Amino acid sequence: MRRNTFWSWFWIFLGTLYFLLPLISTFLFSLRAKKDVLSFLSYERIFTDVNFTRTLGFSLVVAVFTILVSILLVVPTAYWIRLRLPQLRAMIEFMTMLPFVIPAIVLVFGLIRVFSGAPFFLTNTYAGTNALLVAAYAVLTLPYMFRSVDAGLGAIDVRSLTEAAQSLGANWATILFRVIFPNLRVAILSGAFLTLATVIGEFTIASFLVGIKAFGPYLSLTGQNKTYEASSLTIISFLLTWAFMGLIQLFNRGKSDSALAGAH
Amino acid sequence: MSFLSISNVSKIFGGVVAVEDFNLEIEKGEFVSFLGPSGCGKTTTLRMVAGFELPTSGEVVLDGENITYKSPNQRNVGMVFQSYALFPNMTVAQNIGFGLQVRKTPAEEIRKTVDEMLGLIHLEKHAEKYPFQLSGGQQQRVALARALAINPRVLLLDEPLSALDAKIRVELRQEIRRIQQTMGITTIYVTHDQEEALSLSDRIVVMSQGHMEQVGTPSEIYNHPTTEFVASFVGQLNLLPVTEVNVQNGTCKLNGQLVRFDHSEQSEQRQISAKPRLAIRPEEFQFGQAEARNVVLGRVEVVMFLGAVVRLRVRIGEALVSVDLFNERTMILPRVGDDVTVNFPAHACWIM
Amino acid sequence: MSSNSFSKPVDTKRDAPKARPALSGWRDWLGVAPFFLFVFLFIVLPSFRLLIGSFQDVDGNFTLKNFADLMDPSILGAYWVTIRISLATAFGGGLLGFLMAYAVTVGGLPRWVRSALLTFSGVASNFAGVPLAFAFITTLGRVGMVTVFLKLIGVDLYDKGFSLYSFWGLSLTYMYFQFPLMVLTITPALDGLRREWREAAENLGATPFEYWVKVALPILTPSILGTMILLFGNAFGAYATALSLTGGFINLITILIGSQIKGDVLHNVGLGYALAFGMVVVMGVMMTLYYFLRRRSERWLKQ
């Protein structure tokens, strides 16, 4: 059937302009650090800035810890409510939606008020603060991780897999780590990369808890002080986000490929 | 001239022939089934009548009007889909009234027709329910009522029962036939289920790989299949290799033994292939000796008790043959390994 | 997603004898205990602290004064601007996102456009804060590329009253992460429109326009509204982008709370609690709406 695609192309074109113009102008701007010539000088300055590598490294480590905490928290819970406690499903789904209701700035406000005082005193030590940061991020990314894992569990027949493993003599740890986790690999990875993308550049919570140590606040500070470096940082952080999203897509594609291979 | 005529219709999808030279004349009030395996072109043909596909060549004439290139919403042809395709945002009554509503029929009249349709499908109590609150069988009845509410010139059903449970399928099948006969509506029914086609239709079109294999009444199709495809697709058929076929006399040799077959239709309709085989339906066999019938020896290899029917697999010479016997309460079943004598009448078998 | 609350009855129907007798009731609950503990510590406790705090004065006595203080015109104004900006970007972003998703699903565009759009949307919906603000400054700021270009062809945006650091400038910036989110969430809903619905409508005599007005749009409405509510929340809680774009120049509620935490503007902790509590209330109302809309569309689309 032939149909007129003019308006379809029109909206796509409009959206593409919206997508690309800010990126193009930022990129062009980032090349103008040297007077009158285009150069990658601002990128060189960024890459040689110790704070760049230090803050990026810090945020990466925080992200990795967040992902670990998040997986250990979400996978067994989602598995368990499918297997044993279906009556809790509505309640747990509601809980995983709570972070949508509580904006980051409100969350960090509440966390500081609770955990800086008695009996926790978490913010008195670096380790404590970092742990609080990880917890805050785990809350922030809870909806994504839960949805991803729950959808993954929905795609496999949890009950039959568990019963099959049990009848072959497996214990709970074996079932979880050798049967359930491997089958959720794709779901967990896509949740993990979404977490990574969120955590790396996060500003609100990081700026109040750890300040300039994290990548987000570092971006912000550079943006205020050094114009050209800020634009190259913008491009770099966009590419980073792009890379994480690309990885998610890669893993999702890997899934359908292996499913096909299995069918042959 | 017939009511609906499909002439020389072909459809090619990107170089692949889906339907080839389809010709059919359907009388007013007739119930015709398109029967065939998936991918045989039956649904494509139906969709060309509905207007969802344009024929690559040929034409469709309905009630004297050429509708080949008419858009689907101008044809006034009712269609029932395999997946029901009820609008999920509308109640049962709204679904049934939809076609009249877009025709700008007065509200009072819509209400009347909807009530009438609800009565026809026995779902009066469910008028205000949404599709998701109904069972599959109920949904399909609503879909049927929705298609009938516009008082269509032809009713098209695309595998309407294949998503349903076996029991509901039989129930609804009878209901479809009842409603069709009450309304006297010309109907095309697409199915891959031979039982549905045989039990419902006035005529059946058997299709395979895009072309028509045979057109005929259910009993013609079953008892006088003209091609091997039809013979084996509709019902079960045993094919036993034979030698020394004599068409004039109606005799051949099965394992060296003389066997008589029905040769009345042989000369005009069928070519005898290089490797002739004797064709016979499983239910034509009986056990024991008999006068004036073909009698052969065999050994039982499988016994399956199916309830009303007992299905045996009997080795006769090279061939493994299905033999169906009607169950009787006092019957003593043969056992695997038994040597048996079976007989069958000459008029029940033919050469393919 | 559609298997949520509906899968339960099916599961119980299939609930053949379990492979092993169930652990006793209370031990079943142990499996979810860590999750509940986490939610209690890091979601419930902080929220509860905000709730209590908003009813306390500096010395910890009960008071309603904090809520009375919310009635201050500057604070009401901040709520109002935040809500307006969230509504504007949810609607604008929702509309553009819907049209683009429509273009790549039922709009007849080639397959590669769709995958390109979805990938790009995944990235752009995660692009916020300082980098986003900076990208827009270099585009639509006073000496931004587009501003300069438009000036060359005779349209001076800033003379005409536009400013990137104003309500509409900030809205335009927010839209950059808003409409990709719409694309991502509404594309599956558009994919869920079944071909048979269109064919059934056509078969019953409906024009394509009638099909869209009477069938497709009603089916999509809960999803569209639901997603717009998500977009609303997305803009409502945004802090980093606004802060780095306007430096706190626009009086948003998140920026007020931020100042309160830093302690540079308000010196009344109780008021800060009340501000935060107010945000949670607004979001709570929105999410409840979202929940019911999603329930409705899932119910419809389940077959």
Side-chain angles (χ1 to χ4, degrees), chain B residues 43 46-47 52 79-88 95 131-132 134-144 146 156-164 172 190, chain C residues 192-200 300-303:
Chain B
T43 295
L46 190 81
R47 289 170 61 81
F52 297 130
M79 177 139 170
V80 175
F81 297 81
Q82 179 179 354
S83 56
Y84 327 133
L86 293 180
F87 305 128
N95 262 290
F132 73 90
L134 302 179
S135 71
Q138 290 171 327
Q139 289 191 50
Q140 197 56 296
R141 287 202 296 222
V142 175
L144 180 65
R146 181 178 68 178
L156 308 175
L157 301 120
D158 184 10
E159 307 237 10
L161 305 181
S162 55
L164 300 173
L172 201 48
V190 163
Chain C
L193 286 178
R194 290 167 42 206
R195 190 183 68 170
E196 287 89 345
W197 288 332
R198 199 192 70 229
E199 290 183 347
W300 276 352
L301 296 179
K302 135 188 121 94
Q303 279 292 321

Side-chain angles (χ1 to χ4, degrees), chain A residues 78-99:
Chain A
Y79 170 67
W80 204 244
I81 58 170
R82 269 191 190 268
L83 196 69
R84 291 271 184 217
L85 299 166
Q87 68 271 27
L88 283 191
R89 160 169 291 278
M91 188 184 186
I92 293 212
E93 264 184 4
F94 173 75
M95 287 177 165
T96 61
M97 295 245 302
L98 283 176

Side-chain angles (χ1 to χ4, degrees), chain A residues 58 62 112 115 121-136 205-206 208-211 213:
Chain A
F58 176 82
V62 169
I112 288 174
F115 291 98
F121 298 114
L122 273 186
T123 51
N124 287 3
T125 60
Y126 284 126
T129 313
N130 293 345
L132 192 57
L133 187 64
V134 167
I205 293 177
F208 288 115
L209 280 179
V210 296
K213 272 164 72 182

